[in-house]
């Protein structure tokens, strides 16, 4: 499975024109916190505060099979806040993250950094390129 990524930060903005089927993604402000790095498979992507809280990294990809470690590194510009994290993967490649099992990883609110976990590719996952969305949200999933 080839996986490309979109970072949804806790900031404002969003993708005004997401690919067909994918919901728009946005946040409120990157003044206090944002995702500064995502690592999974061969992806080791550093990022900044982004265009009002959203960055599209669908040009990056990695191949996954079985399970893979994921590391999400947040950055705070001042006060450290509790942040929750979620990773969504469109395993069946139907253009959304709404199906059972497509929330591939969650972390309840924490001030820890980095956040690490494991993502397991389900046996029935469609082969070929798919999307992953990584998000952080202040104090709630």
């Amino acid at each position: 499975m080839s996986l490309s990524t979109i970072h949804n930060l806790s900031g404002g903005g969003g993708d005004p024109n997401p690919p067909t089927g994918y919901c728009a993604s946005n946040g409120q402000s990157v003044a206090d916190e944002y995702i500064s790095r995502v690592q999974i498979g061969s992806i080791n992507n550093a990022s900044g505060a982004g265009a009002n809280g959203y960055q599209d990294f669908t040009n990056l990809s990695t191949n996954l099979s079985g399970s893979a470690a994921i590391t999400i590194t947040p950055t705070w510009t001042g006060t450290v806040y509790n942040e929750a994290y979620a990773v969504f993967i469109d395993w069946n490649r139907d253009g959304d993250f709404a199906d059972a099992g497509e929330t591939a990883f969650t972390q309840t609110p924490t001030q820890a950094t980095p956040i690490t976990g494991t993502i397991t590719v389900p046996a029935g996952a469609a082969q070929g390129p798919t999307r992953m969305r990584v998000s952080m949200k202040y104090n709630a999933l």
Side-chain angles (χ1 to χ4, degrees):
M1 162 166 297
S2 177
L3 190 65
S4 61
T5 183
I6 300 170
H7 291 194
N8 175 30
L9 311 178
S10 62
D15 184 357
N17 300 301
T20 302
Y22 292 103
C23 60
S25 180
N26 65 359
Q28 300 302 312
S29 171
V30 294
D32 297 315
E33 69 274 279
Y34 57 91
I35 295 171
S36 58
R37 181 175 299 277
V38 171
Q39 297 164 277
I40 184 170
S42 63
I43 295 173
N44 182 0
N45 188 50
S47 57
N52 297 316
Y54 182 89
Q55 290 183 279
D56 183 343
F57 296 106
T58 52
N59 61 315
L60 303 176
S61 66
T62 189
N63 291 316
L64 294 182
S65 63
S67 63
I70 186 163
T71 302
I72 304 166
T73 305
T75 293
W76 290 272
T77 60
T79 303
V80 175
Y81 296 99
N82 285 326
E83 301 293 340
Y85 303 85
V87 176
F88 306 94
I89 301 177
D90 185 13
W91 297 120
N92 61 1
R93 300 177 54 204
D94 69 345
D96 64 47
F97 301 111
D99 301 296
E102 290 187 341
T103 301
F105 172 78
T106 60
Q107 169 62 56
T108 57
T110 181
Q111 293 180 8
T113 184
I115 304 304
T116 59
T118 301
I119 291 179
T120 301
V121 178
Q127 294 297 307
T130 191
R131 296 283 177 116
M132 174 176 76
R133 181 174 287 165
V134 180
S135 68
M136 78 187 287
K137 182 178 179 182
Y138 169 68
N139 211 33
L141 281 174

